[in-house]
Amino acid sequence: MAATSAWICLAYIVGLLLTGIPGTLLGIPLGAIAILLAGAIASFVAPRLWRNSPPARLWLLAGLVGLIAALHFQMRLPQPSPTDICRLINSPQNGVCQPSATATTPVFGQTFEVEGRVMSAPELTRSDRYRFHLEASRVSSSHQGKLLLPAQPISGTLYVTIPREKGEALYPGQRAIVVGSLYKPQPAATPGGFDFQDYLRQTGIFAGLIAQDVRLVAESQPQPPLLWSIRRQIIRAQAASLGLNEGRLLSAMVMGKSAVDVPYALQDEFRQAGLAHALAASGAQVSMLIGVMLALTQRCSARMRLILGGSVLLSYIGLTGIEPSVLRAGVMGGVVLFALAAERKVKPLGSLLFAAVVLLLWNPLWIWDLGCQLSFLATLGLLVTVPILSKWLDWMPTAIAPLFAVPIAAYLWTLPLQLFIFGVVSPYSIGINILVSPLIAIVSIGGMITALAALAYVPMGEFLSGLLHYPLWLFIKIAEWGNQLPGSQHAVGTISVPQVLLLYGLVLLVWGWQRCQRYWWLALGLAMGLVAIPAWAASANLLQVTVLPTDGNPVWVIQDKRNVVLINSGSEKDQRFMIKPFFNQRGINQVDWAIAPNLHLAALTDWQQMLETVPIRMLYSSSGYQQNATEAIAFRQSYTALLAKLKIQQGNAMQLANRQTLQLGSVAVKPLTPDASVLQMQMGTQSWLVLGRLNRRQSLQDLPSASVLWWSGQELDPQILEQVKPQVAIALVRTPSDTSPTKAWLEQHQVKLYALPQAGSVQWTRQQGFVTTLESNPAL
């Protein structure tokens, strides 16, 4: 019976995983059809080829359960209602949320006033604004005092961001009116970028609002939620004696970062060091709570122990927020409490499988939640791999071996997924986790004690929190030290689904087949080859140009075999959300040649930031015009600082010479103006012209013809177009209007036009030609 139940549970999970196969047939997901057919075929083939095969009826039942799981997933996919507020956004590419008949024509500066109920606790964003979810009930819009849309009922949930000073007093349950601009969340515009649209859609949100003001509705407001008030009291008490960084770190290690505004700089430090799990509430905290409750209730009856333990467990889950990782730990903890009450043994793997099925029955969309995936994989690794590693490490003292076995097991089981999503390896992660294991235990236990003390008597909680200063300080310093080690973050490039499956196949082979365990080193070598060899082969003959859709000057990344050319640095925001994720996705760890055209004071700061992201071997620059003597002095000082950073990284710098050709591998780059704002590039038979700021006197002087033209998107002199004769044009901003002479010329000459805001990144390779990131065809 237990084996049959486990088989059905696994079939349900596999059915959900197969929803990752795109496409439908007669409205049925292809993954659902695949698992049904697989079950039917296996019912005939497996009993004949596999001596210990499950019976045919069980294969058929597994296929049917997988089909139901995929259909359940499809039914639970959020869809906007006919009155959802997203339908007021009049956009031709509005995805699943098509505009309604009442949608207003977009007006620059149009203001929406939305009334609704605050659904989530406000959290700080990287831009130092508060974000929260608002359940909309009424909406109106205006422009410069003119009413465009009268107040009317509306539905749906908004993702709202407001200035920090406006959101300090907000809490869930309040009714508020927010005033600002509606927008449609965008998908990932670059390879490896964050898909904001899909992230919000998973929570049933299809529109966002950038608010400038918020005011409470003039009626009696509800009292703050009890759990929210408890959480706030704990956070304030722990931060009072420890300061912002250490206090928020302590609170996050007790309640999870979903319930605490941990400074983003600290989050980044821990994420890069492989310590992100320390900021998540999960099994460790739940195990401590259950252990304490069982110790305190030894004299109680089994039923009373179950009731008290369950009540504490549910309260803790509510305190940390409804997150998959803590729910997983909560369900497994509940199984332990129930088993103790019933005087039955607990099978850890069975309880993990039960927790997975319970959570995925409640919300099947969590199958693609990264936090949920990492939580279950890490727990699975601890259950099945730690015993094997502990056996191998039996030469160590009993108290020391788990410090090595636990991080190694969790790392092995989560690494393939991390490579698939991020494409980055943290070589020192295991060693750092071993170092901080005692600190995590001390801080977690101490944090729970100080939290309880803060609830009983705030000054006592503040005093006890102060005693944890040195462990917390040391914890942060170890993370910072680990990130300063050479090669602390190594981009290997994202791997494919078949590679992920093969890597997990090797892990399962070593775990499940005892004979293979002695050859673990061979499995490790095969795993490294599975990652390294395809990446090496792909880059052997690679010639790829990528134009990233940055806000300002264009950022070009040219990959010539294993050499990388970077043109322009982008802003700090561009580097964080576009350039760095793209480098990780492509496995780029250094830039061989960088070109900084029209270098000015503000751009120097961006290039210094870029050097912290990736080392540069050679930087070519051309200075722009400095407006006054003060600016010129500041420019020289910043440029000197940039050269110093380059020297530390063993890089060099050189000034660009007007009309001097640079041979960068097989790529030739030639500045056509003194400030290099106009560049000619030659890659094999493909010629490119980057047309930046062009002096009118120079507009027709020696401009070469080019296969591809990049320009700002503003109006161009038709004579320039006649001289360049492009076959493809790439515009930085949205394309000109239909009456534009530039657009008319491009259409008349059948020039394929890509506008970066609609196209996302534009990539060119010799084999595939031009490909854009966004799914819709942006070519006009």
Side-chain angles (χ1 to χ4, degrees), residues 108-150:
F108 180 75
Q110 183 177 358
T111 300
F112 285 85
E113 191 171 285
V114 184
E115 179 181 339
R117 185 163 63 97
V118 178
M119 298 296 294
S120 63
E123 300 174 2
L124 280 174
T125 66
R126 286 187 181 272
S127 55
D128 204 34
R129 292 169 62 90
Y130 273 110
R131 63 183 178 190
F132 61 92
H133 296 170
L134 182 81
E135 185 182 53
S137 57
R138 294 185 67 82
V139 65
S140 63
S141 71
S142 61
H143 176 62
Q144 295 181 353
K146 180 181 178 182
L147 186 65
L148 298 179
L149 179 68

Side-chain angles (χ1 to χ4, degrees), residues 80-90 94 96-100 103:
S81 68
T83 59
D84 194 287
I85 192 170
C86 69
R87 300 193 185 277
L88 296 179
I89 305 174
N90 199 339
N94 212 14
V96 297
C97 192
Q98 296 301 321
S100 66

